[in-house]
Amino acid sequence: MKKFYKSFLFYLIILSIIFSLASNVFASENNDSSGITTLEIAEDNICNIELDDLAKFEKKITEFNQSKKTATLTLSLTNLKEVEESKKDVEIFFVIDNSASMTADYIDNITRKQAVINSANTLVDKLFAENDKVNIGVVGFSSLDSAKGEIEGTINDATLGQSLSNSITDVKNAISNLSNLEVGPRTNIEAGITIAYDNFSSKENVQRYIILLTDGIPNNTTDGTFLEYSDHVLSRTKSKLEEIESNNINIISAMINLNEEIVEPTTGKTYKQLAEAVFGTEDNPTVNKYFSITDDEIENTIVNDIFNNLIITFDNSLKNITIVDYFPQEIIDNFNFEYVATPNIGEVSQTIDTSNNSITWNIELLTEGETATLSYNLTLKDEYDEKIIDVILPTNEKVDISAEKDDTTIDESSDVSPKLIVKYEEPTKEPIDNTISNKPIPQTGEQYINTLIILVSIILLIVIFRNIYFKKNSK
């Protein structure tokens, strides 16, 4: 009898396991409880920031992949100024000494005047290359020769070689032609700068310069005084320089090969002292800019130093730009952040700074017409907080921008943001047909399997009991 119960219990356990597995299979096949999560653009706003009239910042969604639940946001900063807008209207007069001392040998049988002419022509090339709106004129000065019966000490001691011209060929020819002018014995600087001053245009909003290149102390004026290094000549020349400067004309002077220690016999002063009475010193010039140079400094001073002191273009570049993009905590917690690529200009922080939930983009220089861009992806995490479902999510709290222009700092900010929204759809369930039965109608496959298992179980039970019965009776 005990064997019977043991056998019966064994087979009962086997059947229980079969029923349990069957029910679990049905549960796994028919209990699909996972819904569908989607990411959508709630508000396709564009964050715009204007930096005066110089630049424009944009942050916007440039790509959106609904299946991957990814939004690509692109930040861009454009310098709105074109190169052409950076060019000033400029007028320049070269006023070049043509006196006898300029014919002294310079190097390798080149005269000082020729060295000045060559360097001035190179400067002209650079000026037109930098700004094709520049206009240049040329004046040569020395003096007439009283020994020939000519009248010195008048405005005629200087010659207008070229009025203001935008033709690089005409300007360079006029400078080169100074070598063909008759050389005068003395130096009437007042005549040279006066003719230049009188031949500037009357246009408004024009940057104006006189570039004075000489190797001598003035000993003539335009009031008939000549062959004197007197205080009258010096002060009259100085006053003319100051008068011209007061009319918004910049004067850059270069004194070449000044005999600093040699004493001028009629005054008892050194030539350096006489020059300083007119031009001041390099550290404290009478007007704008003054260079006292040697012969071997002619080229570098004219071609480079003087060029660097000419402001012939507007500086419309932006410098030391910092863009800080701040993220809301919901974005940090529920989205993966990844740069699409490094910015085309500047450098950006490698990761989000969790102390203030931001990235920082630094741009050292943004010139006219340039656009700096930076893109990153925000991808919804597989595991996200269900509290953000159906909540409109700004992609940034705000954007701060600072930049420098002409030693002035510009600061702007905006909290306008493109916005996303997470949607969740519950799994679809078959509706119940109440007109036929108040119980769910089993599916065809499910009903067939259930019936088959019941039949198999009954057959197994009959076989088990039959085997047990015959074994018992056979004994």
Side-chain angles (χ1 to χ4, degrees):
M1 191 66 179
K2 290 182 179 180
K3 289 184 178 181
F4 170 79
Y5 284 115
K6 287 182 178 179
S7 299
F8 178 78
L9 183 60
F10 172 76
Y11 288 114
L12 187 60
I13 290 172
I14 296 298
L15 286 173
S16 298
I17 292 173
I18 292 172
F19 275 113
S20 176
L21 290 174
S23 61
N24 286 338
V25 169
F26 296 144
S28 64
E29 288 181 352
N30 294 289
N31 186 22
D32 183 10
S33 60
S34 61
I36 300 174
T37 301
T38 58
L39 182 66
E40 299 176 6
I41 298 175
E43 297 177 19
D44 197 10
N45 301 323
I46 299 176
C47 176
N48 286 319
I49 299 176
E50 303 285 343
L51 298 180
D52 295 338
D53 63 342
L54 296 171
K56 179 179 180 180
F57 171 84
E58 282 189 349
K59 176 183 176 180
K60 61 183 179 180
I61 296 174
T62 50
E63 289 187 33
F64 184 76
N65 191 317
Q66 192 170 34
S67 63
K68 293 183 179 180
K69 305 179 187 66
T70 297
T72 300
L73 292 107
T74 297
L75 288 63
S76 64
L77 181 65
T78 301
N79 188 322
L80 299 175
K81 295 296 184 180
E82 299 297 331
V83 174
E84 189 63 28
E85 293 181 78
S86 295
K87 296 178 180 179
K88 291 186 176 185
D89 288 324
V90 181
E91 295 178 353
I92 299 172
F93 264 102
F94 282 86
V95 179
I96 299 176
D97 193 342
N98 192 47
S99 62
S101 59
M102 290 286 286
T103 61
D105 285 345
Y106 167 51
I107 295 175
D108 296 333
N109 297 320
I110 297 177
T111 64
R112 183 177 298 139
K113 180 164 69 173
Q114 192 60 51
V116 169
I117 288 172
N118 294 343
S119 298
N121 276 329
T122 301
L123 177 57
V124 169
D125 287 331
K126 290 182 68 172
L127 291 171
F128 277 101
E130 183 77 8
N131 183 357
D132 56 13
K133 296 170 69 174
V134 69
N135 286 272
I136 300 175
V138 180
V139 174
F141 70 92
S142 56
S143 71
L144 298 177
D145 191 349
S146 59
K148 296 180 180 179
E150 298 172 338
I151 300 176
E152 290 188 60
T154 71
I155 195 69
N156 295 324
D157 285 341
T159 302
L160 178 64
Q162 174 64 59
S163 58
L164 290 170
S165 172
N166 187 244
S167 168
I168 187 171
T169 300
D170 290 348
V171 171
K172 293 179 70 173
N173 284 341
I175 292 174
S176 297
N177 285 338
L178 290 174
S179 60
N180 299 323
L181 292 179
E182 185 176 352
V183 175
R186 280 168 283 279
T187 305
N188 193 339
I189 291 176
E190 183 191 3
I193 59 177
T194 299
I195 286 183
Y197 173 65
D198 290 342
N199 281 276
F200 281 110
S201 75
S202 59
K203 296 178 182 178
E204 295 182 355
N205 301 318
V206 177
Q207 194 83 17
R208 295 184 172 91
Y209 292 92
I210 286 176
I211 299 175
L212 173 62
L213 306 174
T214 182
D215 73 341
I217 311 301
N219 51 14
N220 280 14
T221 63
T222 60
D223 66 347
T225 305
F226 68 95
L227 196 53
E228 291 184 14
Y229 292 101
S230 63
D231 290 341
H232 170 75
V233 171
L234 300 179
S235 63
R236 184 177 173 90
T237 305
K238 178 180 178 180
S239 295
K240 191 65 180 181
L241 289 169
E242 293 172 329
E243 175 193 342
I244 293 172
E245 182 195 38
S246 69
N247 284 280
N248 299 316
I249 296 172
N250 302 284
I251 302 175
I252 300 175
S253 305
M255 177 66 69
I256 305 168
N257 201 45
L258 180 66
N259 294 317
E260 295 185 356
E261 306 301 329
I262 297 178
V263 174
E264 196 282 314
T266 64
T267 61
K269 298 177 181 179
T270 65
Y271 284 101
K272 179 181 180 182
Q273 291 173 320
L274 295 174
E276 288 179 350
V278 178
F279 298 104
T281 64
E282 290 185 307
D283 292 333
N284 187 27
T286 300
V287 292
N288 304 114
K289 190 68 178 177
Y290 171 62
F291 296 96
S292 181
I293 62 175
T294 58
D295 280 331
D296 59 1
E297 295 175 313
I298 289 174
E299 182 177 5
N300 183 63
T301 300
I302 296 175
V303 175
N304 297 316
D305 294 339
I306 290 179
F307 176 80
N308 292 333
N309 279 273
L310 298 170
I311 304 174
I312 63 172
T313 57
F314 297 100
D315 184 5
N316 284 318
S317 60
L318 289 173
K319 301 179 180 67
N320 299 322
I321 304 163
T322 301
I323 301 171
V324 185
D325 191 9
Y326 296 90
F327 299 94
Q329 191 63 47
E330 290 85 356
I331 295 294
I332 299 293
D333 293 340
N334 297 285
F335 286 79
N336 292 318
F337 172 89
E338 181 184 17
Y339 290 113
V340 175
T342 57
N344 66 326
I345 302 175
E347 296 181 350
V348 67
S349 50
Q350 293 184 355
T351 58
I352 293 176
D353 181 355
T354 55
S355 67
N356 59 4
N357 292 346
S358 72
I359 58 172
T360 301
W361 182 14
N362 293 311
I363 302 170
E364 185 176 349
L365 178 68
L366 190 69
T367 60
E368 297 87 346
E370 279 193 316
T371 297
T373 59
L374 168 66
S375 296
Y376 57 78
N377 289 333
L378 294 177
T379 304
L380 185 66
K381 294 179 179 178
D382 293 334
E383 299 294 331
Y384 62 87
D385 187 348
E386 64 181 12
K387 291 180 181 179
I388 68 170
I389 294 173
D390 294 330
V391 176
I392 294 177
L393 304 172
T395 55
N396 60 277
E397 285 189 344
K398 65 173 180 173
V399 177
D400 289 338
I401 301 179
S402 67
E404 293 179 6
K405 170 69 170 67
D406 296 334
D407 298 325
T408 301
T409 300
I410 304 169
D411 292 302
E412 298 293 345
S413 181
S414 175
D415 59 2
V416 176
S417 171
K419 296 179 174 66
L420 303 173
I421 188 168
V422 177
K423 293 288 188 178
Y424 177 77
E425 183 179 345
E426 294 288 349
T428 303
K429 296 181 179 179
E430 292 294 333
I432 299 174
D433 188 353
N434 292 321
T435 61
I436 298 175
S437 171
N438 60 357
K439 296 182 180 180
I441 299 174
Q443 298 298 315
T444 303
E446 179 183 342
Q447 183 179 11
Y448 172 78
I449 293 172
N450 287 336
T451 303
L452 180 61
I453 290 175
I454 292 170
L455 288 174
V456 171
S457 299
I458 292 171
I459 292 169
L460 286 173
L461 284 172
I462 292 170
V463 171
I464 291 167
F465 281 112
R466 184 175 178 277
N467 286 341
I468 293 171
Y469 175 78
F470 279 113
K471 284 181 180 181
K472 182 181 178 183
N473 289 337
S474 64
K475 293 179 180 179

